[in-house]
Amino acid sequence: MVTNTISRLIENPHNCPVTRAMSIIGGKWKPIILNCIGEKSLRFGKLRQYIPAISNKVLSNELKELEQFGLIERIEYKELPPRVEYHLTQAGRSLLPILHEIARWGKTELAIEIIEKAS
Amino acid sequence: MVTNTISRLIENPHNCPVTRAMSIIGGKWKPIILNCIGEKSLRFGKLRQYIPAISNKVLSNELKELEQFGLIERIEYKELPPRVEYHLTQAGRSLLPILHEIARWGKTELAIEIIEKAS
DNA sequence: AATACTGGTAACCAAATGGTAACTAACACA
DNA sequence: TGTGTTAGTTACCATTTGGTTACCAGTATT
């Protein structure tokens, strides 16, 4: 069973949009996965190469959730050995501006320094 | 003791900027807190009002981490009853474009629908 | 003397998340 | 027959995170 990410959802009387967005794309791996896929179409194994620190199980779960949210599409080719490709849906592509901003900030000296100091 | 957020840090051979950024501002509450503070100066109690679902302990920890990262500043006024105010540093304000993108997306029909379906 | 106020802290417990290792299908190739 | 391939699943366990309750200082108010 896939754990329901929306359990992270917070009842907020102000109905905060940031809360809503983070309930969907927050979490340790989702932005990284979405950013890896980007405009491309990626196989499961390729994602594992790009994000070696993620385990089979967790990657599989995260992909399922993203698919349930309609942010990515999973295409299974009936071949042997099996081939499955993931790509962003139109909804998923609407997240690209967020991902670009995050990536931009993550490239700054500031971000690099914060990580260094904290390590 | 404050749990070290950087434990979330992922060793990534590609040295991914999204991973870096999410190690710093990822997590359930940080973007929400940063967004609440925004351009303002907010007291601890006010933050608890804006984010009622967060507990004392967790809010306190998150604020400490954000302060350690140099993203917010904590100013303690020697008054009675005590008054403490938090505001974004210049570094913290560099996150505003990310937060604005997240908030913008969180306001879309799409985000609202995803939350509804998943609830 | 008791209560309220703010901004926390400490001890303890529960739940969510993440990780590991072994295993699977179904065929190709040696 | 044994090995390799991909895309996972399963069971189990460890870590992380979050939540609850009680408590504190130090003054003002009732």
Side-chain angles (χ1 to χ4, degrees):
Chain A
M1 215 240 302
V2 183
T3 20
N4 190 0
T5 312
I6 291 297
S7 63
R8 254 194 280 113
L9 188 56
I10 300 143
E11 358 57 56
N12 188 322
H14 296 258
N15 211 3
C16 164
V18 173
T19 304
R20 204 153 44 219
M22 293 312 292
S23 300
I24 299 166
I25 56 156
K28 189 170 171 178
W29 302 106
K30 290 205 180 57
I32 299 172
I33 293 171
L34 291 169
N35 184 62
C36 279
I37 299 179
E39 313 273 13
K40 301 185 289 288
S41 196
L42 279 190
R43 299 180 64 166
F44 188 87
K46 207 69 184 165
L47 273 167
R48 293 229 44 207
Q49 279 178 39
Y50 286 160
I51 320 170
I54 201 172
S55 70
N56 261 357
K57 184 187 98 172
V58 173
L59 177 55
S60 169
N61 282 349
E62 302 280 292
L63 289 170
K64 266 183 208 160
E65 287 182 1
L66 290 172
E67 198 194 353
Q68 278 174 16
F69 291 159
L71 298 176
I72 64 174
E73 193 183 8
R74 178 182 188 278
I75 301 182
E76 198 175 337
Y77 297 88
K78 302 286 180 198
E79 299 175 359
L80 265 157
R83 179 158 69 104
V84 177
E85 292 199 341
Y86 296 92
H87 64 262
L88 298 189
T89 59
Q90 204 186 339
R93 280 193 293 278
S94 73
L95 290 166
L96 289 175
I98 298 180
L99 297 170
H100 288 161
E101 277 301 327
I102 293 175
R104 206 176 53 75
W105 191 84
K107 282 176 196 149
T108 60
E109 255 319 297
L110 175 58
I112 294 168
E113 272 170 32
I114 292 176
I115 295 289
E116 273 173 13
K117 277 184 202 158
S119 301
Chain B
M1 218 239 301
V2 183
T3 21
N4 191 359
T5 313
I6 291 296
S7 63
R8 255 192 282 114
L9 187 56
I10 300 141
E11 356 60 52
N12 189 323
H14 297 260
N15 211 5
C16 165
V18 173
T19 304
R20 204 151 46 219
M22 295 312 291
S23 299
I24 298 167
I25 55 158
K28 189 170 171 179
W29 302 105
K30 289 203 181 62
I32 300 171
I33 294 170
L34 291 169
N35 184 62
C36 279
I37 299 179
E39 313 272 12
K40 301 186 289 290
S41 195
L42 278 190
R43 300 179 63 168
F44 189 86
K46 206 72 184 166
L47 273 166
R48 294 231 41 207
Q49 278 179 39
Y50 286 159
I51 318 170
I54 201 171
S55 71
N56 260 358
K57 185 185 98 172
V58 173
L59 178 55
S60 170
N61 283 348
E62 303 278 290
L63 289 170
K64 267 184 208 158
E65 288 182 1
L66 290 172
E67 200 194 351
Q68 279 174 15
F69 291 159
L71 298 175
I72 64 174
E73 193 183 8
R74 178 184 187 276
I75 301 182
E76 196 175 337
Y77 297 89
K78 301 289 180 194
E79 299 176 3
L80 266 154
R83 178 158 69 102
V84 176
E85 293 199 341
Y86 295 90
H87 61 88
L88 297 190
T89 59
Q90 205 188 336
R93 279 194 293 279
S94 73
L95 290 166
L96 290 174
I98 297 181
L99 297 169
H100 289 161
E101 277 302 326
I102 293 176
R104 205 176 53 73
W105 191 83
K107 282 175 196 151
T108 60
E109 256 318 298
L110 174 58
I112 294 168
E113 272 171 33
I114 291 176
I115 295 289
E116 271 173 13
K117 276 184 202 158
S119 301

